Amino acid sequence: SIVSFLLLSPLIKSNNSRLEKPLLIVAKDNSQSLIAKTDSNELKKQLENFTDQLNSKLEDKFNFRNYTFDATLNESDEIDFKGKQTNIGKLFSSIDERHGSENIGAIILMSDGNYNAGSNPIYSSERVKAPIFSILLGDTIQQKDLLISSLNYNK
């Protein structure tokens, strides 16, 4: 009976499963435009408090990745507000490159929304297949680049 059983070529299936928490990406703007109208120390404290509260409440449900961005994406939680450019499009493309094959639960984007480099973030965000939650910081009003205060002309 053992020989006849082996002649039938039994197929043995083995399933291995692993439970993995989704990834929660927290991206903080590190550009100078955030502190144009606000105190940098106060804003830094608020960002740290928010990140700590978020981490303590959701650490059992998510794996956290903290990033700062200006012209590039940095895997760091230190903010110094010294970035000269804000490239939100590069943020999304870098997240897609680094974590495209992972289970991204959500992206929390903390920025003033003013970008001065790269592509339009609306189109770049389509590459990332995860919900994006925006938290607006600083002064979100765009400043005018040029002002004509008076005009002199001949009649």
Side-chain angles (χ1 to χ4, degrees), residues 45-62:
K45 273 190 224 175
Q46 289 175 353
L47 288 174
E48 288 172 359
N49 289 340
F50 178 78
T51 306
D52 291 342
Q53 288 176 3
L54 188 69
N55 198 357
S56 65
K57 288 181 182 180
L58 298 176
E59 66 186 345
D60 57 333
K61 296 180 181 179
F62 292 96

Side-chain angles (χ1 to χ4, degrees), residues 105-120:
I107 298 172
I108 297 177
L109 174 65
M110 297 185 209
S111 175
D112 57 359
N114 296 331
Y115 66 96
N116 56 5
S119 61
N120 190 333

Side-chain angles (χ1 to χ4, degrees), residues 41-101:
N41 291 328
E42 183 64 31
L43 184 60
K44 191 183 287 190
K45 273 190 224 175
Q46 289 175 353
L47 288 174
E48 288 172 359
N49 289 340
F50 178 78
T51 306
D52 291 342
Q53 288 176 3
L54 188 69
N55 198 357
S56 65
K57 288 181 182 180
L58 298 176
E59 66 186 345
D60 57 333
K61 296 180 181 179
F62 292 96
N63 289 327
F64 282 83
R65 288 279 194 283
N66 291 311
Y67 291 105
T68 58
F69 69 95
D70 39 44
T72 59
L73 182 67
N74 306 309
E75 191 164 357
S76 169
D77 203 20
E78 291 297 317
I79 299 175
D80 57 6
F81 302 113
K82 292 186 179 178
K84 303 233 183 266
Q85 293 181 332
T86 304
N87 191 343
I88 301 175
K90 177 83 171 171
L91 164 73
F92 292 127
S93 63
S94 296
I95 286 174
D96 185 45
E97 289 170 8
R98 294 181 188 193
H99 304 289
S101 62

